[in-house]
Amino acid sequence: MTAKRKWSADVTEHSDALDLEEHVFESHDPKKIAASLKRSAEHSDRRKAEPFQSAMSMLNFYINRAGKNLPAKQKKVLEDAKDELRAAFGRPRES
């Protein structure tokens, strides 16, 4: 990263929708990531959508912004966190 911070890092750290726990996306446990996002979404009074949608949007945002810099192993963890997030909110898993 350059000396100037990237806007996507700023969004992740200072989102108006969710107050994220520090380093949540660095965890290697999809269940922990999902649980943290669920807690953040349910406790936020600034989100504009339902908790599930806000949590999933933030997860997708991070995956998309990390792009090529995200190691394949960690991308798999984050993709698995999507299924765990769906389960945490009682939504069906995608096939």
XYZ file of all heavy atoms in Angstrom:
762
model
N 0.848 -1.167 0.000
C 0.000 0.000 0.000
C 0.899 1.237 0.000
O 1.938 1.261 0.616
C -0.911 -0.022 1.232
C -1.954 1.020 1.162
S -3.450 0.825 2.174
C -2.993 -0.096 3.571
N 0.446 2.246 -0.668
C 1.231 3.472 -0.742
C 1.113 4.238 0.553
O 0.370 3.872 1.455
C 0.720 4.343 -1.910
O -0.642 4.687 -1.634
C 0.812 3.616 -3.234
N 1.858 5.345 0.622
C 1.816 6.169 1.833
C 0.404 6.694 2.075
O -0.025 6.851 3.207
C 2.803 7.319 1.705
N -0.306 6.973 1.005
C -1.692 7.428 1.137
C -2.588 6.199 1.283
O -2.490 5.265 0.514
C -2.094 8.236 -0.102
C -3.456 8.852 0.013
C -3.750 9.709 -1.195
C -5.133 10.295 -1.054
N -5.471 11.124 -2.186
N -3.437 6.228 2.280
C -4.317 5.080 2.536
C -5.326 4.905 1.418
O -5.806 5.872 0.862
C -5.041 5.282 3.850
C -4.087 5.261 5.010
C -4.823 5.057 6.250
N -5.685 3.909 6.092
C -5.809 2.937 6.966
N -5.138 2.993 8.067
N -6.602 1.928 6.760
N -5.661 3.681 1.133
C -6.664 3.402 0.114
C -8.059 3.633 0.687
O -8.309 3.372 1.853
C -6.519 1.970 -0.376
C -5.192 1.748 -1.059
C -5.180 0.464 -1.799
C -3.825 0.333 -2.464
N -3.836 -0.408 -3.641
N -8.951 4.102 -0.149
C -10.312 4.396 0.306
C -11.011 3.149 0.811
O -11.800 3.220 1.746
C -11.126 5.063 -0.802
C -11.431 4.173 -1.968
C -10.711 4.016 -3.101
C -12.551 3.290 -2.090
N -11.292 3.092 -3.918
C -12.431 2.625 -3.334
C -13.635 2.992 -1.279
C -13.361 1.699 -3.772
C -14.561 2.062 -1.719
C -14.420 1.423 -2.958
N -10.706 1.983 0.213
C -11.378 0.757 0.646
C -10.973 0.371 2.069
O -11.788 -0.132 2.841
C -11.106 -0.386 -0.327
O -9.722 -0.583 -0.482
N -9.739 0.604 2.434
C -9.293 0.325 3.807
C -10.007 1.251 4.773
O -10.404 0.840 5.870
C -7.783 0.490 3.924
N -10.198 2.487 4.356
C -10.905 3.448 5.202
C -12.360 3.020 5.399
O -12.900 3.112 6.503
C -10.838 4.839 4.582
C -11.313 5.908 5.531
O -10.795 5.947 6.673
O -12.202 6.694 5.149
N -12.999 2.531 4.343
C -14.386 2.070 4.453
C -14.471 0.890 5.414
O -15.343 0.833 6.282
C -14.962 1.674 3.068
C -16.285 0.937 3.215
C -15.127 2.914 2.200
N -13.553 -0.059 5.276
C -13.562 -1.233 6.142
C -13.393 -0.847 7.607
O -14.054 -1.387 8.482
C -12.451 -2.218 5.720
O -12.658 -2.580 4.357
C -12.481 -3.465 6.566
N -12.525 0.113 7.870
C -12.241 0.502 9.252
C -13.256 1.473 9.834
O -13.493 1.496 11.035
C -10.843 1.117 9.338
C -9.752 0.097 9.116
C -8.372 0.722 9.130
O -8.238 1.861 9.600
O -7.435 0.066 8.661
N -13.864 2.299 8.991
C -14.752 3.344 9.494
C -16.111 3.310 8.804
O -16.680 4.352 8.496
C -14.113 4.725 9.293
C -12.776 4.837 9.937
N -11.602 4.774 9.224
C -12.426 4.965 11.240
C -10.584 4.885 10.055
N -11.048 4.995 11.287
N -16.627 2.145 8.578
C -17.905 1.992 7.904
C -19.027 2.702 8.653
O -19.105 2.649 9.877
C -18.252 0.506 7.793
O -19.591 0.347 7.405
N -19.904 3.362 7.903
C -21.078 3.977 8.514
C -22.143 2.936 8.817
O -23.105 3.212 9.511
C -21.673 5.042 7.585
C -20.993 6.382 7.784
O -20.354 6.582 8.831
O -21.099 7.222 6.892
N -21.983 1.742 8.279
C -22.998 0.713 8.474
C -22.698 -0.179 9.675
O -23.594 -0.529 10.425
C -23.110 -0.149 7.217
N -21.449 -0.544 9.843
C -21.088 -1.486 10.897
C -19.822 -1.047 11.619
O -18.899 -0.515 11.006
C -20.818 -2.882 10.310
C -21.921 -3.561 9.539
C -21.422 -4.892 9.001
C -23.136 -3.770 10.386
N -19.780 -1.277 12.915
C -18.556 -1.108 13.689
C -17.914 -2.483 13.783
O -18.359 -3.331 14.557
C -18.863 -0.570 15.091
C -19.371 0.854 15.047
O -18.864 1.630 14.215
O -20.268 1.186 15.832
N -16.907 -2.714 12.965
C -16.268 -4.025 12.892
C -15.229 -4.207 13.988
O -14.569 -3.255 14.387
C -15.586 -4.204 11.533
C -16.491 -4.141 10.313
C -15.650 -4.170 9.048
C -17.477 -5.285 10.320
N -15.111 -5.435 14.451
C -14.033 -5.770 15.383
C -12.711 -5.700 14.619
O -12.663 -6.000 13.420
C -14.244 -7.182 15.939
C -15.474 -7.293 16.811
C -15.732 -8.718 17.289
O -14.850 -9.581 17.142
O -16.832 -8.955 17.796
N -11.661 -5.315 15.305
C -10.357 -5.207 14.650
C -9.898 -6.552 14.094
O -10.052 -7.577 14.743
C -9.315 -4.686 15.629
C -9.458 -3.209 15.916
C -8.257 -2.663 16.655
O -7.128 -3.093 16.363
O -8.479 -1.821 17.535
N -9.355 -6.516 12.917
C -8.748 -7.675 12.253
C -9.722 -8.828 12.043
O -9.295 -9.984 11.931
C -7.514 -8.156 13.031
C -6.544 -7.061 13.322
N -5.777 -6.455 12.357
C -6.247 -6.430 14.489
C -5.036 -5.517 12.908
N -5.307 -5.470 14.205
N -11.009 -8.532 11.966
C -12.000 -9.603 11.824
C -11.758 -10.430 10.563
O -11.921 -11.649 10.585
C -13.447 -9.044 11.854
C -13.719 -8.101 10.695
C -14.460 -10.171 11.852
N -11.340 -9.797 9.480
C -11.170 -10.527 8.219
C -9.841 -11.276 8.146
O -9.596 -11.989 7.177
C -11.304 -9.568 7.034
C -12.670 -8.946 6.945
C -12.832 -7.587 7.089
C -13.792 -9.721 6.730
C -14.084 -7.004 7.000
C -15.054 -9.157 6.656
C -15.199 -7.790 6.796
N -9.010 -11.147 9.161
C -7.738 -11.859 9.192
C -7.838 -13.208 9.899
O -6.903 -13.996 9.866
C -6.680 -10.991 9.870
C -6.377 -9.730 9.084
C -5.454 -8.782 9.830
O -4.801 -9.219 10.808
O -5.402 -7.609 9.444
N -8.965 -13.471 10.521
C -9.159 -14.742 11.214
C -9.117 -15.893 10.221
O -9.484 -15.743 9.054
C -10.506 -14.732 11.939
O -10.777 -16.010 12.482
N -8.691 -17.050 10.694
C -8.660 -18.251 9.852
C -9.832 -19.170 10.167
O -9.870 -20.308 9.708
C -7.338 -18.994 10.040
C -6.149 -18.164 9.659
N -5.902 -17.758 8.363
C -5.162 -17.616 10.409
C -4.807 -17.023 8.336
N -4.341 -16.915 9.572
N -10.795 -18.664 10.921
C -11.969 -19.443 11.320
C -13.235 -18.786 10.765
O -13.640 -17.720 11.232
C -12.044 -19.513 12.846
C -13.176 -20.386 13.347
O -14.053 -20.771 12.546
O -13.186 -20.679 14.556
N -13.860 -19.414 9.744
C -15.057 -18.828 9.135
C -16.186 -18.580 10.138
O -16.914 -17.592 10.027
C -15.494 -19.863 8.092
C -14.332 -20.744 7.882
C -13.491 -20.675 9.113
N -16.316 -19.447 11.142
C -17.371 -19.271 12.147
C -17.136 -18.019 12.981
O -18.080 -17.303 13.322
C -17.482 -20.500 13.047
C -18.100 -21.681 12.353
C -18.281 -22.843 13.292
C -18.901 -24.008 12.524
N -19.265 -25.112 13.373
N -15.880 -17.746 13.317
C -15.560 -16.544 14.096
C -15.838 -15.285 13.288
O -16.349 -14.296 13.813
C -14.093 -16.557 14.545
C -13.821 -17.479 15.696
C -12.383 -17.341 16.148
C -12.111 -18.280 17.318
N -10.717 -18.201 17.766
N -15.493 -15.319 12.012
C -15.755 -14.169 11.143
C -17.252 -13.917 11.060
O -17.718 -12.784 11.230
C -15.153 -14.394 9.737
C -13.628 -14.464 9.817
C -15.593 -13.286 8.778
C -12.954 -14.925 8.541
N -18.016 -14.982 10.813
C -19.469 -14.853 10.697
C -20.091 -14.353 11.997
O -20.959 -13.469 11.986
C -20.094 -16.189 10.288
N -19.652 -14.897 13.111
C -20.199 -14.482 14.403
C -19.897 -13.013 14.685
O -20.758 -12.267 15.176
C -19.641 -15.364 15.522
N -18.697 -12.582 14.353
C -18.319 -11.184 14.563
C -19.153 -10.256 13.690
O -19.637 -9.218 14.155
C -16.828 -11.002 14.260
O -16.477 -9.648 14.371
N -19.314 -10.619 12.421
C -20.126 -9.791 11.524
C -21.579 -9.747 11.978
O -22.221 -8.694 11.915
C -20.034 -10.316 10.090
C -18.715 -10.065 9.380
C -18.641 -10.859 8.086
C -18.525 -8.584 9.115
N -22.088 -10.869 12.452
C -23.465 -10.916 12.933
C -23.633 -9.989 14.140
O -24.583 -9.201 14.205
C -23.861 -12.343 13.300
C -25.321 -12.467 13.724
C -25.701 -13.920 13.967
C -27.201 -14.041 14.123
N -27.666 -14.367 15.403
N -22.711 -10.075 15.088
C -22.770 -9.194 16.262
C -22.738 -7.731 15.851
O -23.523 -6.912 16.324
C -21.594 -9.474 17.207
C -21.806 -10.580 18.182
C -20.712 -10.603 19.242
N -19.358 -10.667 18.712
C -18.738 -11.778 18.352
N -19.343 -12.942 18.467
N -17.499 -11.745 17.893
N -21.820 -7.401 14.965
C -21.684 -6.017 14.516
C -22.948 -5.523 13.835
O -23.409 -4.408 14.082
C -20.501 -5.884 13.549
O -19.289 -6.157 14.194
N -23.526 -6.361 12.983
C -24.727 -5.957 12.241
C -25.926 -5.807 13.168
O -26.721 -4.877 13.013
C -25.027 -6.975 11.148
N -26.053 -6.697 14.134
C -27.208 -6.637 15.032
C -27.118 -5.474 16.020
O -28.139 -4.965 16.472
C -27.358 -7.956 15.779
C -27.816 -9.078 14.868
C -27.933 -10.424 15.558
O -27.242 -10.654 16.579
O -28.699 -11.255 15.051
N -25.914 -5.044 16.341
C -25.753 -3.966 17.313
C -25.639 -2.581 16.684
O -25.644 -1.587 17.397
C -24.543 -4.233 18.214
C -24.775 -5.376 19.131
N -24.197 -6.610 18.932
C -25.545 -5.498 20.230
C -24.601 -7.433 19.894
N -25.418 -6.781 20.688
N -25.539 -2.537 15.362
C -25.388 -1.254 14.689
C -26.722 -0.526 14.619
O -27.751 -1.101 14.273
C -24.855 -1.460 13.270
O -24.838 -0.229 12.584
N -26.699 0.760 14.943
C -27.915 1.560 14.786
C -27.781 2.501 13.586
O -28.622 3.352 13.361
C -28.230 2.346 16.065
C -27.095 3.254 16.498
O -26.018 3.206 15.870
O -27.287 4.015 17.461
N -26.717 2.314 12.822
C -26.490 3.165 11.651
C -26.718 2.438 10.331
O -26.693 3.057 9.286
C -25.065 3.706 11.681
C -24.824 4.626 12.844
C -23.395 5.065 12.872
N -22.562 3.878 13.083
C -21.248 3.865 12.945
N -20.615 4.930 12.574
N -20.566 2.777 13.192
N -26.909 1.138 10.371
C -27.060 0.400 9.118
C -28.366 0.788 8.436
O -29.327 1.175 9.072
C -26.980 -1.100 9.357
C -28.055 -1.654 10.219
C -27.887 -3.157 10.430
N -28.574 -3.574 11.614
C -29.891 -3.620 11.741
N -30.651 -3.291 10.737
N -30.441 -3.979 12.873
N -28.352 0.677 7.112
C -29.514 1.073 6.329
C -30.350 -0.122 5.874
O -31.448 0.042 5.379
C -29.058 1.877 5.120
C -28.389 3.183 5.522
C -27.904 3.939 4.311
C -27.301 5.241 4.756
N -25.886 5.301 4.603
N -29.824 -1.314 6.050
C -30.508 -2.533 5.618
C -30.673 -3.465 6.816
O -30.262 -3.154 7.928
C -29.704 -3.217 4.518
N -31.257 -4.604 6.567
C -31.402 -5.622 7.605
C -30.015 -6.136 8.017
O -29.068 -6.057 7.234
C -32.250 -6.785 7.086
C -33.687 -6.396 6.803
C -34.411 -5.917 8.058
O -34.293 -6.571 9.113
O -35.082 -4.870 7.978
N -29.883 -6.664 9.236
C -28.562 -7.122 9.700
C -27.879 -8.116 8.767
O -26.683 -7.988 8.489
C -28.866 -7.767 11.055
C -30.098 -7.088 11.523
C -30.894 -6.791 10.281
N -28.620 -9.096 8.262
C -28.003 -10.096 7.379
C -27.414 -9.433 6.141
O -26.272 -9.693 5.770
C -29.019 -11.172 6.958
C -28.490 -12.096 5.897
C -27.566 -13.072 6.213
C -28.911 -11.979 4.581
C -27.052 -13.920 5.232
C -28.408 -12.822 3.603
C -27.480 -13.794 3.921
N -28.195 -8.567 5.510
C -27.735 -7.921 4.287
C -26.519 -7.030 4.561
O -25.568 -7.010 3.785
C -28.853 -7.094 3.666
C -28.473 -6.499 2.326
C -29.603 -5.716 1.698
O -30.712 -5.669 2.213
N -29.319 -5.085 0.577
N -26.525 -6.321 5.647
C -25.388 -5.459 5.994
C -24.123 -6.275 6.238
O -23.038 -5.920 5.757
C -25.707 -4.630 7.237
O -26.739 -3.722 6.975
N -24.252 -7.364 6.976
C -23.101 -8.213 7.276
C -22.553 -8.860 5.996
O -21.335 -8.860 5.762
C -23.482 -9.286 8.291
N -23.433 -9.393 5.161
C -22.999 -10.049 3.926
C -22.379 -9.027 2.973
O -21.374 -9.317 2.315
C -24.176 -10.757 3.253
C -23.776 -11.605 2.069
S -22.666 -12.989 2.459
C -23.817 -14.147 3.161
N -22.936 -7.838 2.927
C -22.383 -6.799 2.054
C -20.971 -6.421 2.467
O -20.091 -6.232 1.619
C -23.273 -5.550 2.074
O -24.498 -5.822 1.455
N -20.741 -6.306 3.767
C -19.404 -5.955 4.235
C -18.412 -7.074 3.925
O -17.279 -6.812 3.520
C -19.416 -5.659 5.734
C -18.103 -5.129 6.253
S -17.462 -3.653 5.428
C -18.532 -2.409 6.106
N -18.832 -8.320 4.080
C -17.962 -9.450 3.758
C -17.630 -9.463 2.271
O -16.469 -9.598 1.879
C -18.625 -10.766 4.185
C -17.864 -12.058 3.944
C -16.473 -12.015 4.563
C -18.656 -13.240 4.488
N -18.638 -9.287 1.425
C -18.404 -9.250 -0.019
C -17.528 -8.066 -0.413
O -16.654 -8.190 -1.269
C -19.729 -9.193 -0.784
C -20.369 -10.549 -0.885
O -19.706 -11.548 -1.121
N -21.668 -10.595 -0.698
N -17.763 -6.930 0.211
C -16.948 -5.749 -0.065
C -15.475 -6.044 0.213
O -14.610 -5.755 -0.607
C -17.427 -4.571 0.796
C -16.553 -3.354 0.684
C -16.696 -2.482 -0.379
C -15.587 -3.095 1.640
C -15.881 -1.361 -0.488
C -14.773 -1.978 1.544
C -14.913 -1.110 0.472
N -15.206 -6.650 1.356
C -13.822 -6.946 1.713
C -13.198 -7.928 0.717
O -12.069 -7.718 0.253
C -13.709 -7.500 3.131
C -12.281 -7.714 3.527
C -11.509 -6.652 3.972
C -11.675 -8.961 3.409
C -10.169 -6.828 4.300
C -10.344 -9.144 3.738
C -9.601 -8.074 4.185
O -8.281 -8.259 4.504
N -13.916 -8.983 0.378
C -13.395 -9.977 -0.567
C -13.093 -9.316 -1.917
O -12.034 -9.530 -2.505
C -14.382 -11.150 -0.747
C -14.471 -11.969 0.536
C -13.972 -12.032 -1.923
C -15.605 -12.976 0.559
N -14.018 -8.504 -2.394
C -13.839 -7.860 -3.697
C -12.710 -6.836 -3.686
O -11.960 -6.722 -4.654
C -15.138 -7.179 -4.143
C -16.221 -8.181 -4.466
O -15.943 -9.337 -4.768
N -17.464 -7.755 -4.388
N -12.572 -6.086 -2.612
C -11.534 -5.054 -2.540
C -10.157 -5.651 -2.327
O -9.164 -5.110 -2.797
C -11.821 -4.050 -1.420
C -12.968 -3.152 -1.699
C -12.644 -2.219 -2.860
N -13.661 -2.380 -3.870
C -13.508 -2.213 -5.168
N -12.375 -1.868 -5.665
N -14.493 -2.383 -6.008
N -10.065 -6.758 -1.610
C -8.763 -7.379 -1.373
C -8.212 -7.973 -2.664
O -7.008 -7.975 -2.893
C -8.868 -8.446 -0.291
N -9.104 -8.477 -3.492
C -8.759 -8.943 -4.826
C -7.551 -9.841 -4.911
O -7.427 -10.835 -4.213
N -6.623 -9.458 -5.788
C -5.440 -10.272 -6.062
C -4.497 -10.357 -4.869
O -3.672 -11.260 -4.799
C -4.676 -9.706 -7.261
C -5.421 -9.808 -8.570
C -4.588 -9.271 -9.704
C -4.762 -7.755 -9.745
N -4.063 -7.123 -10.871
N -4.596 -9.427 -3.934
C -3.700 -9.436 -2.781
C -4.120 -10.424 -1.700
O -3.398 -10.619 -0.730
C -3.620 -8.030 -2.168
C -3.050 -7.034 -3.149
O -2.192 -7.370 -3.949
N -3.531 -5.816 -3.100
N -5.269 -11.034 -1.863
C -5.782 -11.974 -0.875
C -5.277 -13.380 -1.205
O -5.549 -13.899 -2.292
C -7.314 -11.940 -0.902
C -8.073 -12.621 0.213
C -7.734 -11.973 1.556
C -9.563 -12.510 -0.036
N -4.527 -14.006 -0.297
C -4.046 -15.372 -0.559
C -5.234 -16.327 -0.759
O -6.288 -16.161 -0.142
C -3.274 -15.740 0.705
C -2.966 -14.446 1.381
C -4.064 -13.502 0.995
N -5.057 -17.322 -1.610
C -6.129 -18.264 -1.938
C -6.687 -18.932 -0.681
O -7.902 -19.130 -0.567
C -5.630 -19.307 -2.923
N -5.814 -19.277 0.251
C -6.261 -19.941 1.480
C -7.195 -19.037 2.297
O -8.234 -19.480 2.793
C -5.039 -20.343 2.313
C -5.359 -21.187 3.507
C -4.082 -21.644 4.194
C -4.406 -22.514 5.390
N -3.201 -22.995 6.058
N -6.851 -17.748 2.402
C -7.689 -16.824 3.162
C -8.972 -16.499 2.400
O -10.036 -16.314 3.002
C -6.927 -15.538 3.507
C -7.677 -14.625 4.447
C -7.955 -15.256 5.825
O -7.339 -16.238 6.203
N -8.882 -14.679 6.543
N -8.905 -16.454 1.081
C -10.122 -16.224 0.290
C -11.106 -17.370 0.516
O -12.301 -17.148 0.653
C -9.801 -16.077 -1.185
C -11.041 -15.731 -1.996
C -10.743 -15.350 -3.404
C -12.041 -14.954 -4.081
N -11.846 -14.452 -5.410
N -10.600 -18.592 0.599
C -11.455 -19.755 0.869
C -12.107 -19.613 2.238
O -13.302 -19.893 2.399
C -10.620 -21.040 0.798
C -11.312 -22.290 1.293
C -12.119 -22.959 0.216
C -12.624 -24.332 0.618
N -13.883 -24.342 1.295
N -11.351 -19.167 3.238
C -11.897 -18.954 4.586
C -13.032 -17.934 4.518
O -14.104 -18.131 5.098
C -10.796 -18.491 5.561
C -11.385 -18.012 6.873
C -9.792 -19.608 5.803
N -12.817 -16.839 3.797
C -13.837 -15.798 3.701
C -15.065 -16.268 2.922
O -16.199 -15.933 3.267
C -13.240 -14.539 3.073
C -12.160 -13.854 3.910
C -11.479 -12.749 3.111
C -12.727 -13.316 5.207
N -14.844 -17.049 1.889
C -15.980 -17.613 1.141
C -16.767 -18.574 2.034
O -17.996 -18.595 2.006
C -15.491 -18.325 -0.128
C -14.953 -17.389 -1.198
C -16.001 -16.482 -1.836
O -17.204 -16.802 -1.773
O -15.610 -15.445 -2.380
N -16.065 -19.360 2.844
C -16.735 -20.262 3.788
C -17.501 -19.469 4.849
O -18.542 -19.904 5.335
C -15.731 -21.199 4.463
C -15.149 -22.235 3.510
O -15.706 -22.416 2.398
O -14.140 -22.862 3.871
N -16.984 -18.294 5.180
C -17.657 -17.438 6.166
C -19.028 -16.992 5.657
O -19.945 -16.762 6.449
C -16.791 -16.231 6.507
N -19.192 -16.894 4.341
C -20.506 -16.549 3.781
C -21.540 -17.604 4.169
O -22.649 -17.272 4.589
C -20.444 -16.435 2.258
C -19.700 -15.242 1.756
C -19.760 -15.250 0.236
C -18.990 -14.145 -0.393
N -19.114 -14.160 -1.860
N -21.171 -18.881 4.023
C -22.089 -19.967 4.401
C -22.363 -19.949 5.898
O -23.489 -20.178 6.337
C -21.535 -21.330 3.984
C -21.725 -21.608 2.499
O -22.658 -21.039 1.898
O -20.939 -22.390 1.942
N -21.328 -19.681 6.688
C -21.510 -19.616 8.141
C -22.410 -18.444 8.525
O -23.219 -18.551 9.449
C -20.155 -19.501 8.844
C -19.266 -20.710 8.690
C -19.858 -21.981 9.285
O -20.712 -21.904 10.200
O -19.471 -23.068 8.837
N -22.285 -17.344 7.809
C -23.131 -16.180 8.062
C -24.589 -16.496 7.723
O -25.497 -16.152 8.477
C -22.627 -14.988 7.246
C -23.177 -13.618 7.584
C -22.946 -13.263 9.040
C -22.547 -12.567 6.675
N -24.780 -17.170 6.601
C -26.147 -17.585 6.242
C -26.730 -18.477 7.338
O -27.880 -18.309 7.747
C -26.145 -18.326 4.906
C -25.916 -17.435 3.723
C -26.001 -18.208 2.397
N -25.593 -17.353 1.315
C -24.377 -17.334 0.773
N -23.451 -18.167 1.201
N -24.085 -16.510 -0.208
N -25.954 -19.425 7.813
C -26.418 -20.336 8.861
C -26.712 -19.581 10.144
O -27.728 -19.840 10.810
C -25.366 -21.426 9.119
N -25.876 -18.619 10.485
C -26.061 -17.849 11.716
C -27.364 -17.058 11.691
O -27.986 -16.834 12.728
C -24.876 -16.904 11.924
N -27.777 -16.650 10.506
C -29.017 -15.896 10.372
C -30.192 -16.782 9.963
O -31.281 -16.273 9.670
C -28.857 -14.767 9.343
C -28.195 -13.531 9.891
C -26.852 -13.292 9.690
C -28.931 -12.612 10.621
C -26.240 -12.145 10.193
C -28.332 -11.469 11.124
C -26.993 -11.227 10.910
N -29.978 -18.102 9.935
C -31.060 -19.024 9.602
C -31.463 -18.992 8.145
O -32.597 -19.303 7.800
N -30.534 -18.640 7.294
C -30.785 -18.592 5.849
C -30.242 -19.876 5.223
O -29.282 -20.459 5.714
C -30.061 -17.405 5.201
C -30.379 -16.046 5.808
C -31.742 -15.576 5.319
N -32.103 -14.311 5.900
C -32.183 -13.175 5.236
N -31.895 -13.141 3.963
N -32.559 -12.072 5.851
N -30.839 -20.290 4.089
C -30.332 -21.505 3.437
C -28.953 -21.257 2.823
O -28.668 -20.165 2.344
C -31.367 -21.786 2.339
C -32.096 -20.507 2.143
C -32.001 -19.727 3.418
N -28.118 -22.285 2.890
C -26.789 -22.195 2.277
C -26.945 -22.283 0.771
O -27.839 -22.949 0.275
C -25.895 -23.328 2.771
C -25.549 -23.200 4.227
C -24.690 -24.361 4.673
N -24.420 -24.258 6.087
C -23.201 -24.139 6.585
N -22.163 -24.152 5.823
N -23.043 -24.031 7.893
N -26.047 -21.630 0.059
C -26.092 -21.712 -1.402
C -25.470 -23.019 -1.842
O -24.536 -23.523 -1.231
C -25.367 -20.527 -2.028
C -26.144 -19.243 -1.871
C -25.605 -18.132 -2.735
O -24.533 -18.277 -3.341
O -26.278 -17.086 -2.787
N -25.975 -23.552 -2.947
C -25.480 -24.833 -3.460
C -24.163 -24.714 -4.156
O -23.808 -23.801 -4.747
C -26.484 -25.399 -4.452
O -27.738 -25.515 -3.855
